[in-house]
Amino acid sequence: KMSAVFLLLLVSTANVGAVLEKGLPRREPRRLSCVRCCGPSEQPVSIISSRYTRMSSDPAYSVPRVQPTIDITILKGEKGEMGEKGYPGAVGKEGERGLRGFNGRKGQKGQPGPQGHSCKQLYAAFSVGRRKPLHSSDYFQHVTFDTEFVNLYKHFNMFSGKFFCYVAGIYYFSLNVHTWNFKETYLHLMKNKKEVAILYAQPSDRSIMQSQSLMLDLQEGEEVWVRMFKRERENAIYSEESDVYIIFNGHLIKPAVE
């Protein structure tokens, strides 16, 4: 009996194996493939870093760049008041010298200067006159002269109407004019730019000769001249072409160095 049961089980097991081989698909035996190992200079890339690389390179996963813009018109305020003037800055370096400019026009010929001398002469004298009448149209008006009586060494400049002191010392000056009927006569005797004496005559129905004189201590280079001074009234001095009514004189009395 035992052998019969064992044979029966063996036959059943074989049948079951045959059925299973017929019913299930047959699998191919798995083959092992070769994998290249990392070299000494190569390092394995982590899964997270490789995934981040794929996501960043893919446009679907790339994060857009935000570029902020500022509206200046909103932030700009009103114009402020001008501040106080600052201290001057340091003087810069001197620049290079520029090119030479064009030559200007030739000027007019001037009056001849005083005659030169090998030894300086300690003399000075002049006497000049005016043959034309003069009305003052400005507040101050320079009086010039057209007649030369004496002009030693040409110290009196007929073109400018001024006496130029070449020899320092004590000088005497006198001014003589003829007044005009019903008109005021008002003149200043000038030393450089300052009046030192006044010649004045009120308006009258009669014309008269009026004079003024004084002495001045002059230094070399100083000037003496005459000007008219106009106020509310009309100012004038009278003269004629045929005669001389206006005379200005001056001479050296004592030089400063003898």
Side-chain angles (χ1 to χ4, degrees):
K1 286 184 179 179
M2 289 300 292
S3 59
V5 174
F6 179 74
L7 292 172
L8 182 61
L9 290 175
L10 184 60
V11 172
S12 299
T13 304
N15 293 333
V16 173
V19 173
L20 290 175
E21 289 182 0
K22 293 179 180 179
L24 294 176
R26 191 173 182 180
R27 295 183 179 178
E28 294 290 336
R30 187 176 181 182
R31 297 180 181 179
L32 297 178
S33 59
C34 295
V35 179
R36 181 177 179 273
C37 297
C38 298
S41 62
E42 297 177 357
Q43 297 295 332
V45 180
S46 64
I47 299 173
I48 298 175
S49 61
S50 61
R51 181 180 301 172
Y52 176 77
T53 304
R54 292 196 306 271
M55 292 179 65
S56 61
S57 60
D58 191 351
Y61 295 99
S62 61
V63 180
R65 295 183 181 179
V66 180
Q67 296 182 354
T69 58
I70 301 175
D71 191 354
I72 302 301
T73 59
I74 298 176
L75 301 179
K76 185 177 180 182
E78 297 181 356
K79 185 177 181 180
E81 298 180 357
M82 182 179 292
E84 297 180 357
K85 186 177 181 181
Y87 295 100
V91 180
K93 295 182 180 180
E94 184 178 357
E96 297 180 358
R97 186 175 182 179
L99 300 177
R100 183 176 181 180
F102 297 102
N103 294 331
R105 296 182 179 179
K106 186 177 180 180
Q108 297 180 354
K109 186 177 180 180
Q111 294 289 328
Q115 184 178 358
H117 301 278
S118 57
C119 296
K120 188 173 183 179
Q121 301 295 325
L122 300 181
Y123 301 101
F126 73 92
S127 179
V128 294
R130 181 182 176 94
R131 296 179 181 272
K132 295 180 181 180
L134 184 63
H135 288 78
S136 178
S137 57
D138 299 325
Y139 189 65
F140 292 119
Q141 184 172 348
H142 196 120
V143 179
T144 57
F145 300 88
D146 51 26
T147 303
E148 184 180 80
F149 298 111
V150 174
N151 193 3
L152 189 62
Y153 308 128
K154 302 296 181 180
H155 290 181
F156 189 91
N157 191 322
M158 295 296 292
F159 180 77
S160 64
K162 294 182 178 182
F163 169 75
F164 187 86
C165 178
Y166 286 93
V167 182
I170 306 298
Y171 285 81
Y172 175 83
F173 296 96
S174 64
L175 177 63
N176 301 275
V177 299
H178 195 286
T179 64
W180 204 310
N181 294 355
F182 306 104
K183 295 180 181 180
E184 188 177 47
T185 301
Y186 203 144
L187 295 95
H188 287 155
L189 193 61
M190 305 292 296
K191 177 183 176 182
N192 299 324
K193 295 183 179 181
K194 182 179 180 181
E195 61 272 12
V196 291
I198 296 175
L199 189 153
Y200 178 75
Q202 293 182 344
S204 174
D205 56 351
R206 297 176 58 187
S207 60
I208 59 173
M209 293 294 296
Q210 193 81 350
S211 65
Q212 179 65 281
S213 60
L214 78 165
M215 288 189 295
L216 293 174
D217 186 2
L218 299 181
Q219 302 298 322
E220 186 175 355
E222 293 186 312
E223 297 175 326
V224 179
W225 51 289
V226 180
R227 75 177 181 187
M228 296 184 71
F229 174 54
K230 182 181 179 182
R231 299 193 297 180
E232 295 81 6
R233 301 175 182 177
E234 187 177 4
N235 188 6
I237 50 179
Y238 178 79
S239 190
E240 294 179 355
E241 291 287 346
S242 58
D243 207 346
V244 180
Y245 288 85
I246 303 169
I247 297 176
F248 184 32
N249 300 321
H251 65 275
L252 177 64
I253 297 176
K254 181 181 182 299
V257 180
E258 295 181 344

